Amino acid sequence: MADNANAGAPTGIKPWVLFIPVLLIGLVFLPSAVVVGVGMLPTLVARVVDSSPGKRLSITVGGFNLIGCLYFLNAIWAAGQGMGDIRPTLSDSLGWLSALTGAGVGWVVFGGMPIVIAKIAETQTALRMRHVLKEQDRLVEEWGEPVRGIYGVQQVVKEEAEE
């Protein structure tokens, strides 16, 4: 009975709902789509090697890679967006530098986030510990040392290594 309760609930966006409009827009702007498709190859590589849940590496690299591909888009639009403009646009080394730098920034951001999150968590823990110790000291002052009990928070002092 419980299985039927969720049978009519939507499970998210169907892939074809996104695929059809993207395909139609890609056909209308074919030179731009080809240039962006080729420029986004680093995102395809990230997608292949991505094993994280939710494909976070692909999303991060893809977003920054798309920003880097804006140079290619500007170049093809300035050239007139013709099929003959694809090869000169893709042969521009500054465009490749821009696209690959964007992808590289995505890799760095993805790799650096665990360090940033660890520092944030460490700081939050230290602030919470300071608050708990202050509250514990207030209770000991008000009620006496037996309030601390055997499970009271003890502040651990780190010993510095002697050189």
Side-chain angles (χ1 to χ4, degrees), residues 79-94:
Q81 193 173 332
M83 292 302 284
D85 298 325
I86 294 174
R87 178 172 279 157
T89 301
L90 289 177
S91 64
D92 186 3
S93 59
L94 193 57

Side-chain angles (χ1 to χ4, degrees), residues 39-61:
M40 294 290 285
L41 285 177
T43 302
L44 181 64
V45 171
R47 181 73 176 182
V48 169
V49 301
D50 191 5
S51 62
S52 65
K55 301 292 184 188
R56 292 185 184 101
L57 174 64
S58 302
I59 294 168
T60 306
V61 172

Side-chain angles (χ1 to χ4, degrees), residues 53-141:
K55 301 292 184 188
R56 292 185 184 101
L57 174 64
S58 302
I59 294 168
T60 306
V61 172
F64 283 104
N65 189 203
L66 185 61
I67 292 170
C69 284
L70 290 177
Y71 182 87
F72 279 144
L73 277 178
N74 183 40
I76 191 110
W77 290 345
Q81 193 173 332
M83 292 302 284
D85 298 325
I86 294 174
R87 178 172 279 157
T89 301
L90 289 177
S91 64
D92 186 3
S93 59
L94 193 57
W96 281 108
L97 177 67
S98 176
L100 294 174
T101 300
V105 167
W107 278 93
V108 168
V109 167
F110 182 79
M113 271 301 121
I115 297 167
V116 172
I117 297 301
K119 284 295 182 187
I120 290 171
E122 182 181 331
T123 303
Q124 286 178 335
T125 302
L127 289 172
R128 177 72 180 139
M129 189 68 176
R130 188 182 317 158
H131 175 73
V132 167
L133 285 171
K134 185 188 283 186
E135 186 66 19
Q136 183 181 25
D137 289 341
R138 186 189 67 78
L139 287 173
V140 166
E141 184 180 306

Side-chain angles (χ1 to χ4, degrees), residues 15-30 33 36:
W16 61 269
V17 173
L18 293 175
F19 181 73
I20 291 176
V22 168
L23 181 68
L24 292 174
I25 291 171
L27 289 174
V28 171
F29 299 106
L30 188 59
V36 170

